[in-house]
Structure formats: structure tokens, C-alpha cells
Amino acid sequence: MFLSKEDYDELAHIQIVIAGILKRAVLSELEEERERKFYLQNLKNGYALTAPTEKPMKIQLDGVSINSKPRADGRYQGYVIVDGKRKYFYGKTYEAVTEKVQKFLQGGKIPQTKIIDNKRNSPTFGEFLDSWIEIYKKPNLKASSFESLKTMLKPALNAFKDKKIGAISSDEIQKMLVTLSAPRVRDLCLMHLNAIFNKARIKGIVKRNPCEAVEIKKHKSKHVKSLTPEETQTVFDLAEGSPYYLLYRFLVATGLRIGEALALRHSDVDFDKCMVTVSKNVVFVKGTRIEQDTPKTEAGNRIVPVPGPICKELAAVKTELLFPFTYNSAHCALRRIDKKVDFHVTLHVLRHTYATRLEEAGIPPKVKQYLLGHSSLEMTQNTYTDIQAQFVNSLSDRIRKLFE
């Protein structure tokens, strides 16, 4: 069979086309095999790429980003985060940038999740403290507790006010606390700081609470020694004739807190039954008298018996307030007495003395707890109860006879 020149040319063209198709098929298979190996290798390395058959290949990795829209200059942009820094790539098309990123990853560079620098982006300690106080503390605290909170946090505010809260370390807190000479202030400052950093951690502002690594020796309160009957009488003798004579005798006879006593009015006393109802408290903030419609604790609401002679003297008081004094004036007057005697006496010691007399009289613990307005029996028994040596001596003969 003979072919014409036209047929021969057509057959040659067909052979060229077929050869081209076969060549593209082989190249396609090689390309797909290369992509498949690259895909499997990246899976082995912990990367997550889309399937190799997708065109164009899209990268779905933490720490890798390619913009789907061009920038203002018409170029596409992408980046890979390595060692906390971004490596940028640019191209005329999305596919061109993708290819550059793929080649970069093939070089063994491991992308990282974007790191948020809490130290840089967090608010200052002063800013967070203001927010914490305003939102979480001010609405829930009485005026006296609120002032105490600010006082206890003042050393921390002075040290860290303008420092980013995320940049404050445990060592810095430790060093600040050890400079505080008053153990009670140190304990309360740490307690409040712990609450602040816990709140910041819960809100995602800091990763951890630096207070957890702080080591401060816990303060043990000094034991308050109550007055003996003789010491009590000495105080009364020295106070006689002063405006505070009735107040000091009333505190020893009822065990009321000074704030509870200063809040009392005639309407709070049943003069027929000689009973006083405790339902309020007074505090003084920067010299301003603030009357609170609740006692210091919920258990502070109570009715307390008053000795007859003192009850009659209360009935004779002409002012609406039974004790129209400030805390400072009552404290300073008793302090002048304290300087004249060889024992220690304060307004708190007078309340402590009441608790001791109850113990010596054999009043049941739960009744003592109620009369003192304590929320726990442990506080009544461990903190406010003394057994005077003098009282033990008076009972020594009875104790001996028990075992004879």
C-alpha cells in the first residue's frame, strides 16, 4: 500500500500528537508521584496538607498562612512562622506563593503556631487591678473591708503599677513581699495578689499564676492575753470620771465589738429585760462615720444580756446614740490608761476578757459562740478563750478532791 504525500504528512502529525499525549501522561504520573511522596513525608513530619490530587495544592498548617486575595500592589502574600518569627513570601498569583511556601517547607523548616506574647499585649498591673476592684470587689465589700483591701495591696501597686501583668515574675513578688515588715500585711497582700493573678489566668490574660511559686512563712497571730478581775478593776478605776467609763464597762460586760457598741441606740436596748439587740456596725473611713446595717459577720446578729446596773446607766444617757464617740477617741483614751499600767489593755482585750469570764463560768461553747457573734466555734474556743491561772488556783482544791 502506497501513501500519498498528504496521507504521510497526516500520519506523521498523528504520531507526534500521540507521542505528546504519552509524554504528558508520563510526566503527569511522575508529578503525581512526586507530590504523593511529598505529602506522605509531610504527614510523617506532623504537617497536615490537603490531598495531593487537589489542584492547586493548598497548605493547611498551623503557622502557615497565604492570603486568598491580592494586596494593594496586586501581589499575593504568605508567611511561615519559624522560631517565633514570620518568613514572608510574595508572588503574582496565589499558586506562585503556594509553590514558594511548599519549597520552603520541603527544606525541612517546621512551622509553628502563632505565638501571642502575653507579656507585651497584657494590661499593666495597675490597669488590671483597677478593673478587678471595680468589677469584682467594690460591689461585694463593705466600706471598711474595701479600704483594708486597698491598703493591703498598696505595696504591690507601688512595685508593679506600670509593669505588664504578664511580665511579673514569682521572684519579683517574693522580693517585694520580704520587704514588708508587718507579717499580717505580708500575708494579706499575698492572699489578694493570688486572687488577682488567678482571675487574670482564668480570663486568659496570663498563662500561670506567679504567686504559686512564692514562699512566705505564714504569720501566726500573737495570743491576746485577757485581763484578770483585778486588772479589769484597775482599768475601770483609771477610767472613772471620763466620758468612756460606761463604754469600757459595757464592753467587758457584753463582749460587743467596738463598732457594734458605737452603733447602738436607745431603741436597741430592752431596758425592762436588760437585753441589747446587736444588728448594726459602725466603721470610720478617713474620719467619716459609716453605719452599716449589718454586723461584721452574719452571726453577729444576736441578743446579749446586760448587767442591771449598766442597763440603768444606759437608760439615763441623753443622746440618741448610747456611745457618741469615734473609734479613734475611744482607742486613744484607753491607750493613755495602757501606758499607766504594767499590763496590756486595748479595746480588743476588753472583748477577749468577756470571753474568758464566760469560760471560767462554765458557759457552754455554743452559747459562747452565739454571745460573741462568731461564725465558727473554732474561733471562740481557740482564739477568744483563756483559762486564767488565778481561776485554776481557785479550783485546785475541788480538782484534787476528784481524785482522792
Side-chain angles (χ1 to χ4, degrees):
M1 180 178 181
F2 295 96
L3 297 175
S4 65
K5 184 178 184 303
E6 289 79 13
D7 292 337
Y8 182 86
D9 290 341
E10 184 178 355
L11 181 59
H13 176 70
I14 292 173
Q15 288 176 337
I16 292 172
V17 171
I18 293 174
I21 293 172
L22 292 173
K23 181 179 180 181
R24 283 195 296 273
V26 171
L27 290 175
S28 178
E29 289 179 0
L30 291 173
E31 179 64 17
E32 288 183 3
E33 178 65 17
R34 186 188 67 80
E35 289 185 2
R36 187 182 68 82
K37 289 181 178 179
F38 174 64
Y39 174 75
L40 294 175
Q41 182 62 37
N42 278 285
L43 283 181
K44 183 178 180 181
N45 292 338
Y47 304 151
L49 305 181
T50 56
T53 56
E54 293 183 3
K55 300 291 185 177
M57 181 180 289
K58 295 181 180 180
I59 303 175
Q60 298 174 344
L61 288 175
D62 287 338
V64 177
S65 176
I66 301 176
N67 294 344
S68 60
K69 296 181 179 180
R71 298 164 13 126
D73 61 4
R75 295 186 301 167
Y76 286 80
Q77 174 185 292
Y79 68 79
V80 178
I81 297 178
V82 178
D83 297 330
K85 297 181 180 180
R86 293 185 181 184
K87 170 69 175 176
Y88 286 93
F89 302 88
Y90 302 93
K92 293 182 179 181
T93 64
Y94 178 90
E95 290 75 12
V97 177
T98 301
E99 185 177 354
K100 290 181 180 180
V101 171
Q102 289 175 348
K103 288 181 179 179
F104 182 77
L105 294 177
Q106 283 178 308
K109 301 295 184 180
I110 301 177
Q112 300 171 346
T113 302
K114 182 178 179 181
I115 299 172
I116 298 176
D117 189 347
N118 286 326
K119 294 181 180 180
R120 180 181 300 175
N121 298 313
S122 65
T124 65
F125 177 80
E127 291 169 343
F128 186 81
L129 176 61
D130 289 342
S131 173
W132 179 74
I133 287 177
E134 192 67 26
I135 297 173
Y136 300 104
K137 291 299 164 183
K138 193 174 182 179
N140 301 314
L141 294 178
K142 294 181 179 179
S144 57
S145 299
F146 181 63
E147 287 301 314
S148 174
L149 170 69
K150 293 196 296 184
T151 300
M152 295 304 106
L153 283 171
K154 191 173 181 179
L157 186 61
N158 291 338
F160 309 125
K161 181 179 181 180
D162 298 322
K163 191 176 182 69
K164 296 290 186 180
I165 190 171
I168 299 173
S169 68
S170 301
D171 288 348
E172 290 173 313
I173 296 175
Q174 179 86 26
K175 291 176 182 177
M176 181 275 296
L177 290 173
V178 297
T179 64
L180 305 180
S181 57
R184 180 64 173 164
V185 174
R186 190 166 57 234
D187 284 354
L188 291 175
C189 184
L190 177 58
M191 180 186 75
H192 294 315
L193 281 176
N194 188 59
I196 290 169
F197 280 101
N198 264 338
K199 182 64 69 176
R201 180 183 57 79
I202 292 171
K203 296 180 72 174
I205 295 174
V206 299
K207 290 185 177 180
R208 62 180 184 82
N209 179 355
C211 292
E212 293 176 354
V214 172
E215 296 182 10
I216 295 294
K217 184 178 180 181
K218 189 169 179 61
H219 167 62
K220 292 184 178 180
S221 300
K222 292 183 178 179
H223 179 70
V224 178
K225 185 179 181 299
S226 62
L227 304 179
T228 66
E230 290 76 18
E231 290 170 344
T232 304
Q233 187 58 52
T234 299
V235 171
F236 292 162
D237 292 343
L238 292 172
E240 190 171 4
S242 78
Y244 308 98
Y245 179 51
L246 178 58
L247 173 63
Y248 296 155
R249 290 164 55 218
F250 176 83
L251 293 177
V252 171
T254 62
L256 265 65
R257 301 176 177 91
I258 182 62
E260 295 170 340
L262 297 181
L264 291 177
R265 302 174 183 271
H266 278 266
S267 57
D268 296 315
V269 183
D270 184 334
F271 293 103
D272 294 329
K273 297 181 180 179
C274 289
M275 303 290 286
V276 60
T277 298
V278 182
S279 60
K280 299 182 292 295
N281 189 53
V282 163
V283 296
F284 293 86
V285 178
K286 297 180 180 179
T288 302
R289 176 188 170 98
I290 300 176
E291 186 168 306
Q292 300 171 334
D293 57 3
T294 58
K296 183 178 179 181
T297 65
E298 185 63 31
N301 290 287
R302 60 199 189 278
I303 299 175
V304 180
V306 182
I310 292 180
C311 191
K312 289 182 180 179
E313 293 183 54
L314 291 175
V317 173
K318 303 299 182 182
T319 57
E320 174 60 21
L321 289 173
L322 295 177
F323 305 107
F325 314 121
T326 65
Y327 170 84
N328 192 55
S329 65
H331 167 74
C332 290
L334 191 56
R335 189 175 181 181
R336 288 192 289 270
I337 294 176
D338 178 69
K339 293 180 179 179
K340 297 178 181 179
V341 297
D342 58 359
F343 52 86
H344 186 50
V345 58
T346 64
L347 294 169
H348 184 66
V349 167
L350 299 183
R351 172 171 160 83
H352 199 98
T353 298
Y354 171 78
T356 300
R357 295 291 93 85
L358 294 180
E359 179 72 14
E360 293 172 349
I363 302 299
K366 291 297 290 185
V367 177
K368 287 188 296 180
Q369 178 187 345
Y370 170 80
L371 292 173
L372 288 164
H374 285 155
S375 56
S376 71
L377 184 59
E378 181 182 6
M379 172 68 74
T380 305
Q381 293 299 88
N382 296 345
T383 306
Y384 278 84
T385 297
D386 281 343
I387 296 295
Q388 298 279 347
Q390 183 180 12
F391 176 68
V392 174
N393 289 336
S394 68
L395 298 175
S396 58
D397 288 340
R398 290 174 56 186
I399 294 172
R400 291 188 191 98
K401 289 180 180 180
L402 291 174
F403 302 97
E404 288 178 358

